[in-house]
Amino acid sequence: MSKLNNIAMFVSNDGGHFAQLMALKNLFGKYDSVVLTDNKRANRNIPALKDVKAIEFAMAFADKRDELTKDKNRKLTHASYLSAYWTLFRQCHAIWKKYRPKVIVSTGSNIAVPLCFIAKLHGSRFVYIETRAKVYSKTISGKIVGRLADKVIVQWPEMVDVYNGKADYYGTLV
């Protein structure tokens, strides 16, 4: 097991996942915090991010998505993203090694998957917060990381049963 630093890494993709991560802003100042995202607009001018130690970017998946959506004639498939997922895993691992966080908290989505595996491999704790957009079923990321995460938090009471009682409900992030 690797030596871990007393750092909390907060992780999310762009869009609604990032908005939900920003709802955790009160935690950023309480811990030595790093934010990892593919949100190109994330910077210290966002008031919620003023207290974080660093903002890091893992752009492989977002860049691939941008590339593929520009070519309107190309059909998007899961295979289209395979190389991007491998690159995303490598980017996330390099950033994990830079900080060696004790805990990783993720609001999803695809960036959560490699980080959950990396956390389990190196002894970091992993907390997954399922999106509030899901009330009756798991996200794809939730299906994968829900089995490995040290803690799963859901934002609807119905989701506790969806996770077979292995998730905790505390309300919604606002």
Side-chain angles (χ1 to χ4, degrees):
M1 191 172 331
S2 305
K3 180 174 177 347
L4 302 176
N5 294 316
N6 202 22
I7 291 174
M9 183 176 281
F10 293 89
V11 179
S12 79
N13 286 102
D14 198 0
H17 297 286
F18 188 78
Q20 288 185 45
L21 190 73
M22 293 302 96
L24 300 174
K25 66 183 178 261
N26 292 337
L27 298 177
F28 297 166
K30 290 182 180 181
Y31 301 98
D32 201 4
S33 301
V34 173
V35 168
L36 173 57
T37 185
D38 67 355
N39 183 343
K40 296 175 187 174
R41 296 174 304 279
N43 63 64
R44 292 198 188 278
N45 292 330
I46 296 173
L49 297 178
K50 69 179 177 14
D51 292 326
V52 299
K53 174 180 184 159
I55 302 168
E56 295 284 349
F57 299 92
M59 300 303 297
F61 192 85
D63 290 345
K64 181 58 111 178
R65 183 179 54 236
D66 290 348
E67 171 193 324
L68 291 172
T69 54
K70 284 179 185 172
D71 183 355
K72 301 292 183 200
N73 296 321
R74 188 164 180 190
K75 182 175 168 50
L76 299 179
T77 65
H78 292 297
S80 306
Y81 291 102
L82 281 177
S83 67
Y85 274 112
W86 176 244
T87 304
L88 179 63
F89 183 91
R90 289 192 341 258
Q91 288 174 341
C92 289
H93 192 250
I95 294 166
W96 183 94
K97 282 176 31 179
K98 181 176 179 180
Y99 295 100
R100 300 184 182 281
K102 188 175 282 185
V103 65
I104 298 170
V105 178
S106 179
T107 56
S109 81
N110 60 47
I111 201 167
V113 176
L115 281 163
C116 184
F117 285 107
I118 292 163
K120 299 318 293 178
L121 189 67
H122 294 292
S124 295
R125 307 276 293 162
F126 189 85
V127 177
Y128 180 71
I129 303 173
E130 183 67 272
T131 179
R132 71 174 168 249
K134 296 304 256 180
V135 183
Y136 301 108
S137 64
K138 299 177 189 179
T139 57
I140 294 171
S141 298
K143 289 175 184 176
I144 297 168
V145 304
R147 299 169 189 249
L148 299 172
D150 294 290
K151 185 169 197 69
V152 175
I153 298 172
V154 294
Q155 298 186 59
W156 295 99
E158 296 87 346
M159 289 295 288
V160 173
D161 290 336
V162 171
Y163 275 92
N164 298 319
K166 295 180 181 174
D168 294 314
Y169 166 71
Y170 298 110
T172 57
L173 292 174
V174 290

